[in-house]
Amino acid sequence: MSIELEHVSYVYNPGTPAQWQALRDVSLTIRPGEFVGLIGATGSGKSTLVQHMNGLLRPTSGRVRVFGMDTSDPRTDLTRVRQRVGLVFQYPEHQLFAATVAEELAYGPTNLGLAPEEVQRRVRWALRAVGLGEELLTRSPFSLSGGQARRVALAGVLAMRPDVLVLDEPAAGLDPLGRREILDLIRNLHREGMTIVLVSHSMEDVAELATRVVVLDQGRVVMDGPPRELFRRHRELAALGLAAPVAAQLVDALKARGWPVPGQAVTIREAVAEVTAALAARRRERRPEGGREGGRAGV
Amino acid sequence: MFNITLGQYYPGRSFLHQVDPRTKILATLVYSVFIFLVKEPEGFYLVAGFALLAMAASRIPPLTLIRGLRPILIFLVITLAFNAFMTPGETLWGWGPFRVTREGLAFGGLMALRLVLLVLVTSLLTLTTTPIALTDGLERLLRPFQRLGLPAAELALMMTIALRFVPTLFDEAQRILRAQQARGARLRVRGPLAQMQALLPILVPLFVAAFRRADELAVAMEARGYRGGRGRTRMRELRYTWRDGVTALAVAAFAAGVVYLRLLAG
């Protein structure tokens, strides 16, 4: 098991007027090779939860084990925990600080105490992994475009060679192309065997990428399962302030109106396939009738 | 981690909350000066009494006020110890060349009491006055000096902005700190040079963020027609009420009492 959370609760500012319970009895296991989508309305505890996954926060009660290491145990070396679970915060380009991209990428591996040659190897590997060329190594990270800076920041975490990568809204604030690039990149990392936890507001992204979806509401895990199953329950999701992917809502509405669609789609591509198949079937039905146009036009 | 009570508004509608900020600023100033004129024990009843009266008029839980004293605890200990050892007089306790004297203990105690009261009263000002009201008050008080070339409106605006963004920057610092910790950052390292280097990954992004915010704020202000202080009308007009009269009388009585005791002793 990669990450195990057992009955985790977390309270911010205990004993003050600003006391706030962010997590309530969360039990969750992240298995190797999974792609977990973590969704929930603002304030549902997503960010607090992901910070437990690499020991940045320690549970007020309950236990978190990362590859067997208990993060609350004072003997646990948290640097080792953070090496195995890479955490990419929202707008990670805001944490860039070094004079060159090379130095920026070397920061994590150097903190791990690796030999200089190994650090250099990882710097080059990480840069390639995010699809950037080596000509960027000598550039200042502050001179890069938004999408490039985001990818350099991501590479800065990847250079630590984590087994699990946790990303908080990695595509937020990017243009459609930059968004596409980042998501493709994450998909590739997963294909190459990395375990991924993706926090996102975008149901579309989660539907497309995740193999499992966990829904948080007011600090509790309220749903946990395959995206296809979960996004069928869009009434429940709506009650939690979340919307199922547009594609799932569309095929459900069509099915309710009597269209011959399976109603299983959760991504746009799948919805297109279902609708075109239904249209093709309808055309085949009509042809023998002798070209009479009409019926329910406009549906 | 970054919990600073000084400068944190405590919402309420007590007598002190409703006193005009100008009155409160001036009263605090007078108190801060007169507290150092007091030398006799009787005088300390007066300064302590005034502080207690102000605390009562603020309706702020004493515990909140006392918690605000925590940052100055180290100063209090140093003040007390320094005076106790360094003042010549009747020795109470000695160890080698170090002697604690009765006079030193008494003097150090009074100094520490002064410090406590000073911090209590100044934090009452910031606890019962919103930062905005505070800068409004300061701007009004500084306006006469505008003739002498003092940019009062600009100074007040700078203060408002600084106050507004202090918590934001603290949040930002914490976020950056976490992000760098996720990359294995170690903040506790040996040696001053290594310590500075360890802080760079936090300070650089923090400065970048501050400049980005400043840029955005400048654009947002210009977009809403800000052209400097001249000719601006204000949304909140300051007005004196009977409460300001009462406060002024109390301050005057206090000041007169201190001067009277000084003359008696002198």
Side-chain angles (χ1 to χ4, degrees), chain A residues 256-280:
Chain A
R257 286 197 173 196
W259 272 55
V261 289
Q264 292 300 307
V266 288
T267 68
I268 298 281
R269 194 168 302 173
E270 288 167 2
V272 169
E274 282 195 18
V275 172
T276 43
L279 287 174

Side-chain angles (χ1 to χ4, degrees), chain A residues 84-152:
Chain A
R84 302 206 69 175
V85 180
L87 177 54
V88 181
F89 278 87
Q90 252 180 66
Y91 296 100
E93 63 273 23
H94 290 176
Q95 50 175 278
L96 298 175
F97 70 95
T100 66
V101 170
E103 273 177 59
E104 187 71 51
L105 300 188
Y107 181 64
T110 309
N111 284 333
L112 296 179
L114 298 169
E117 309 85 68
E118 178 61 18
V119 170
Q120 283 317 310
R121 231 192 326 273
R122 288 188 176 198
V123 165
R124 277 160 214 286
W125 172 81
L127 198 67
R128 225 176 311 120
V130 298
L132 293 175
E134 292 201 358
E135 71 280 0
L136 287 185
L137 282 175
T138 53
R139 289 264 299 273
S140 159
F142 297 103
S143 70
L144 303 175
S145 74
Q148 280 178 329
R150 175 85 43 106
R151 279 192 276 171
V152 166

